[in-house]
Amino acid sequence: MNLPKYIDEPQVLRLLAPFGDTKAFNMHKDEKGKSKGTIVFEYDDPEITTGALSSLNGLMLGEIRLLFQRVPPEMAATLLRSTDQAKKMDEAEQAAKKRAEESKRAAIEAKAAEAAAAVIPAPAPVVLAPTEPTPADEAKVEEEAETEAKEEEYEPAADATTVVVLSNVVTDADLASD
């Protein structure tokens, strides 16, 4: 139904009353409690519904032509829930989902803790006894020292290409100029 949004519940109920008593009624409202222009209702006597719909459908209310239509019973049950009932049901569903998620998370954490306890035990510590350097070890150390010394004494070959190295070196003179 496409009611003008300025129509309130008592006015709608007066519009429906000549055809019979309503068993259920719900005006859909926004967060501020204002009508969304849609109502859902059910008469006590189902036989009245056909006559009421044919009389009300197309009725002009101000500049708006009213549109009434039947909905399937399962849809009507959902649409007839009041906004407060819908909120309470939604809150209950959310709370149930949250409890289920928390239960699932707790089960996962319990399995993880159980798996962590079943992990391969840490190996026994290995104790290394100090040993005397062998002649081969001493020769290796001397060779590494000679290589480092040669790298420090590097002189480019006469046919070497130019190499430019840019470094970020700040001297005392640079600091004094700032």
Side-chain angles (χ1 to χ4, degrees):
M1 184 172 176
N2 58 334
L3 281 173
K5 293 183 180 181
Y6 58 83
I7 302 289
D8 61 10
E9 286 184 31
Q11 292 170 321
V12 174
L13 288 170
R14 280 197 302 273
L15 179 69
L16 301 175
F19 302 97
D21 294 329
T22 55
K23 180 164 104 176
F25 176 86
N26 185 19
M27 177 180 274
H28 296 143
K29 298 177 183 177
D30 62 16
E31 300 81 31
K32 296 179 181 176
K34 304 260 183 187
S35 171
K36 289 184 174 182
T38 305
I39 63 163
V40 182
F41 63 94
E42 180 181 5
Y43 281 107
D44 282 334
D45 184 356
E47 294 177 16
I48 294 174
T49 305
T50 304
L53 288 180
S54 64
S55 296
L56 293 170
N57 198 26
L59 179 71
M60 292 296 290
L61 191 58
E63 295 181 8
I64 296 179
R65 182 176 308 276
L66 299 181
L67 172 66
F68 287 83
Q69 57 189 1
R70 287 184 186 263
V71 295
E74 58 277 356
M75 182 185 267
T78 301
L79 295 172
L80 283 169
R81 290 189 320 192
S82 72
T83 306
D84 291 339
Q85 288 172 327
K87 283 182 183 176
K88 286 178 184 175
M89 290 180 77
D90 288 344
E91 289 171 0
E93 289 172 5
Q94 291 295 330
K97 284 181 183 179
K98 186 176 180 178
R99 283 192 302 274
E101 288 174 6
E102 288 172 354
S103 175
K104 186 176 179 180
R105 187 177 307 118
I108 290 170
E109 289 173 357
K111 285 182 181 180
E114 185 179 305
V119 172
I120 300 170
V126 177
V127 178
L128 297 177
T131 60
E132 294 294 321
T134 64
D137 292 336
E138 291 175 355
K140 187 176 179 182
V141 170
E142 286 177 19
E143 185 181 315
E144 288 174 357
E146 288 174 10
T147 304
E148 287 177 15
K150 286 180 183 176
E151 288 174 358
E152 291 174 4
E153 298 172 3
Y154 173 76
E155 289 186 26
D159 60 346
T161 59
T162 305
V163 177
V164 178
V165 177
L166 176 64
S167 63
N168 188 9
V169 177
V170 179
T171 63
D172 290 335
D174 293 331
L175 294 174
S177 65
D178 288 339

